[in-house]
Amino acid sequence: MSDKSTAENMVDAAKAKVNEAADRAREAGHNVAHAVTGDAHHKAEALEDRAKAELHNTQAHAEYNEGKREAQDGDGH
């Protein structure tokens, strides 16, 4: 991580969670499209979106934990 403040880390964690939610919504849409059409392309896109969601989830946790550490060290920076 970089030398970001507690607030900056928390904002970045929130952004990553929003991106994760968007990825999961796209995944669900592709899964529905695959179920309706049977097109394997939709299934592949769903898997890609799931992987992106997991990446954003990991990023959110890392940013949150870093922000928490910054807050606990007393200076917030």
Side-chain angles (χ1 to χ4, degrees):
M1 294 286 140
S2 64
D3 289 333
K4 295 188 283 188
S5 71
T6 300
E8 290 170 320
N9 280 297
M10 294 303 176
V11 167
D12 287 346
K15 287 177 186 177
K17 289 307 272 185
V18 168
N19 287 333
E20 177 191 0
D23 293 333
R24 293 200 189 280
R26 280 191 298 275
E27 175 191 4
H30 288 303
N31 281 331
V32 168
H34 176 259
V36 170
T37 66
D39 186 350
H41 182 257
H42 291 295
K43 190 64 177 175
E45 287 180 336
L47 292 172
E48 179 182 352
D49 286 329
R50 182 182 306 155
K52 289 178 183 177
E54 291 301 321
L55 179 64
H56 284 122
N57 183 46
T58 301
Q59 179 186 7
H61 284 282
E63 293 286 354
Y64 174 81
N65 289 336
E66 182 64 21
K68 190 174 172 182
R69 276 190 292 277
E70 290 294 334
Q72 290 172 342
D73 76 5
D75 69 359
H77 296 305

